[in-house]
C-alpha cells in the first residue's frame, strides 16, 4: 500500500488497513504505566475518524507531520481542540464519543496517555499548565479540557524515538523506562510552553533539554553517543552550548556524559554484572578504557 511506520515500535500491536482511497498504519503498546499509539495515514478524501473513550483519561497528542491541521470534536461535532503540524497539546477527555477530522493528505500522529498518579501528593506543583487538566481528571469532570499547544520539533522526536525503542512486553525494566521517558516528555512540554509564554529564557530551557538529550543518548548508545549531534537539533554552536551548560551545571557536556556513564556502570556492577560485560554494554572499545574512566571519576577500581 506504499505506507510504512514512520516511528517503529520495538514491540507492540500493528494494524494495516486500507479503505478505498485511505491507507493507515496503527501501532499500539499497552503498558501498565502508559499506553502509546502511532498513526501513519494517507487519504485522498476528508477523514472523520470516530473515537470512543471508555474512561476519563489525559492524553498527549503530537502531530509530527501533516498536510493540514486536525480538529477534535465531540459527538455533536462541536470543536474541542485543533492542532497544526509540528505542534502538540494535552487533552482531558471524559468518557464518551468523539471525532478526529483530517483534510486529504499525509499525517503522522503520536498519542499517549499515562498514569496520572505520578502527579499525586503535590507532585504537580511545578506543572501549572497541567493542573486544570489533572484536577478535571481527579474530579471525573464531564467537560473536555485542553492545554496550550506547543512545538513538537526534532528534539521532541528524539525523545519519542528513544521511548519507542524501550518498549518491551512483560519486562519490568521496560515498564520503568516507559514512565521515565514519559516524565521527561512532560518536562520537555513544560519547558516549551514556558518558553513560548516567555516565563523562562530560551537558553535556560534549552540547557535542561541538553542534559536530558545526553542521558537519552547514553542510555541508547553508551560511550558511542556523539555529543556533536546536539548542535544538529539545537540552535546553538558547540562553544556556546558548552559555555551555557557549564554555567548551569558546573561541568561541560562531555564531563556530564562521562559521569552519567559511570553512574550507570555503578548500578550495573551492583546488580552483579561483570566488569567486562558492563564495559561492553556501555560501548567502550577496550576494557582498560573503562577502568581508567571509572578510576578517574570515582577514585576506585570497578572491581572494588
Amino acid at each position: 500500500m506504499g505506507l510504512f511506520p514512520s516511528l517503529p515500535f520495538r514491540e507492540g500491536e500493528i494494524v494495516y488497513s486500507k479503505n478505498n482511497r485511505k491507507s493507515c498504519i496503527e501501532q499500539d503498546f499497552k503498558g501498565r504505566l502508559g499506553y502509546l499509539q502511532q498513526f501513519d495515514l494517507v487519504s485522498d478524501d476528508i477523514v472523520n475518524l470516530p473515537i470512543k473513550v471508555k474512561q476519563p483519561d489525559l492524553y498527549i497528542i503530537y502531530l509530527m507531520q501533516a498536510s493540514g491541521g486536525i480538529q477534535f470534536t465531540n459527538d455533536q461535532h462541536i470543536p474541542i481542540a485543533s492542532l497544526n503540524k509540528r505542534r502538540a497539546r494535552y487533552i482531558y477527555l471524559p468518557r464518551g464519543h468523539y471525532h478526529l477530522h483530517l483534510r486529504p493528505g499525509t499525517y503522522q500522529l503520536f498519542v499517549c496517555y499515562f498514569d496520572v498518579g505520578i502527579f499525586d501528593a503535590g507532585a504537580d506543583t511545578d506543572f501549572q499548565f497541567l493542573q486544570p487538566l489533572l484536577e478535571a481528571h481527579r474530579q471525573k469532570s464531564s467537560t473536555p479540557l485542553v492545554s496550550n499547544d506547543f512545538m513538537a520539533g526534532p528534539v521532541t522526536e528524539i525523545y519519542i524515538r528513544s521511548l519507542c525503542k524501550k518498549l518491551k512486553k512483560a519486562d519490568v525494566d521496560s515498564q520503568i523506562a516507559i514512565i521515565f521517558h514519559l516524565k521527561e516528555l512532560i518536562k520537555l512540554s513544560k519547558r516549551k510552553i514556558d518558553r513560548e509564554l516567555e516565563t523562562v529564557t530560551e537558553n535556560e530551557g534549552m540547557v535542561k533539554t541538553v542534559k536530558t538529550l545526553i542521558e537519552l543518548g547514553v542510555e541508547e548508545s553508551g560511550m558511542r553517543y556523539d555529543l556533536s549531534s546536539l548542535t544538529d537539533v539545537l540552535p546553538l554552536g558547540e562553544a556556546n552550548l558548552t559555555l551555557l551548560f557549564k554555567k548551569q551545571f558546573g561541568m561541560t557536556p562531555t564531563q556530564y556524559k562521562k559521569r552519567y556513564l559511570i553512574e550507570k556502570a555503578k548500578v550495573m556492577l551492583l546488580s552483579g554484572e561483570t566488569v567486562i560485560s558492563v564495559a561492553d554494554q556501555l560501548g567502550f572499545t577496550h576494557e582498560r578504557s573503562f577502568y581508567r574512566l571509572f578510576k578517574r571519576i570515582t577514585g576506585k577500581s570497578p572491581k572494588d
Side-chain angles (χ1 to χ4, degrees), residues 40-64:
D40 290 277
L41 188 144
V42 175
S43 176
D44 293 333
D45 293 324
I46 292 175
V47 175
N48 177 14
L49 190 66
I51 300 170
K52 183 178 181 181
V53 175
K54 296 181 180 179
Q55 61 183 32
D57 265 312
L58 184 57
Y59 299 84
I60 319 176
I61 314 291
Y62 295 90
L63 187 57
M64 304 308 296

Side-chain angles (χ1 to χ4, degrees), residues 51-83:
I51 300 170
K52 183 178 181 181
V53 175
K54 296 181 180 179
Q55 61 183 32
D57 265 312
L58 184 57
Y59 299 84
I60 319 176
I61 314 291
Y62 295 90
L63 187 57
M64 304 308 296
Q65 294 294 338
S67 298
I70 64 174
Q71 188 175 65
F72 293 90
T73 67
N74 63 15
D75 56 349
Q76 280 85 44
H77 297 286
I78 297 173
I80 295 172
S82 60
L83 204 57

Side-chain angles (χ1 to χ4, degrees), residues 47-262:
V47 175
N48 177 14
L49 190 66
I51 300 170
K52 183 178 181 181
V53 175
K54 296 181 180 179
Q55 61 183 32
D57 265 312
L58 184 57
Y59 299 84
I60 319 176
I61 314 291
Y62 295 90
L63 187 57
M64 304 308 296
Q65 294 294 338
S67 298
I70 64 174
Q71 188 175 65
F72 293 90
T73 67
N74 63 15
D75 56 349
Q76 280 85 44
H77 297 286
I78 297 173
I80 295 172
S82 60
L83 204 57
N84 292 318
K85 177 182 176 181
R86 286 288 180 178
R87 304 292 291 180
R89 68 165 79 234
Y90 290 72
I91 302 180
Y92 164 73
L93 292 178
R95 181 178 174 181
H97 295 271
Y98 303 90
H99 296 269
L100 173 61
H101 303 273
L102 304 93
R103 295 197 290 271
T106 302
Y107 296 84
Q108 296 172 10
L109 193 67
F110 180 74
V111 182
C112 56
Y113 70 77
F114 53 92
D115 184 350
V116 297
I118 63 174
F119 287 106
D120 287 347
D124 61 352
T125 303
D126 294 331
F127 297 88
Q128 294 184 358
F129 80 97
L130 265 184
Q131 287 176 346
L133 284 76
L134 291 168
E135 188 58 27
H137 184 276
R138 291 169 186 140
Q139 299 297 326
K140 292 183 169 51
S141 170
S142 60
T143 305
L145 202 59
V146 302
S147 74
N148 291 345
D149 70 320
F150 52 93
M151 182 179 177
V155 173
T156 301
E157 191 168 344
I158 290 172
Y159 275 52
I160 292 174
R161 286 188 179 278
S162 180
L163 166 60
C164 293
K165 288 179 180 178
K166 295 289 183 182
L167 303 179
K168 189 175 181 182
K169 295 179 180 178
D171 182 83
V172 173
D173 290 337
S174 176
Q175 297 297 324
I176 295 171
I178 290 171
I179 200 63
F180 167 78
H181 281 71
L182 284 174
K183 280 164 50 178
E184 292 303 324
L185 268 173
I186 295 166
K187 291 176 185 177
L188 179 65
S189 304
K190 178 186 182 302
R191 292 195 291 272
K192 287 176 176 288
I193 289 174
D194 286 347
R195 195 158 66 237
E196 291 187 14
L197 295 176
E198 298 183 343
T199 58
V200 299
T201 66
E202 183 174 2
N203 286 342
E204 182 183 354
M206 199 175 301
V207 171
K208 290 180 180 178
T209 298
V210 168
K211 181 173 176 285
T212 303
L213 286 173
I214 293 172
E215 292 169 3
L216 295 177
V218 168
E219 291 289 337
E220 184 176 333
S221 305
M223 192 65 177
R224 291 185 294 270
Y225 175 61
D226 185 359
L227 290 171
S228 67
S229 63
L230 293 169
T231 55
D232 293 338
V233 295
L234 295 168
L236 282 174
E238 185 177 348
N240 211 2
L241 187 152
T242 299
L243 185 67
L244 291 168
F245 193 93
K246 188 170 184 179
K247 182 178 179 181
Q248 186 154 337
F249 296 111
M251 65 184 82
T252 67
T254 298
Q255 290 169 330
Y256 182 71
K257 169 190 166 181
K258 291 177 179 178
R259 287 184 177 276
Y260 190 79
L261 261 170
I262 296 307

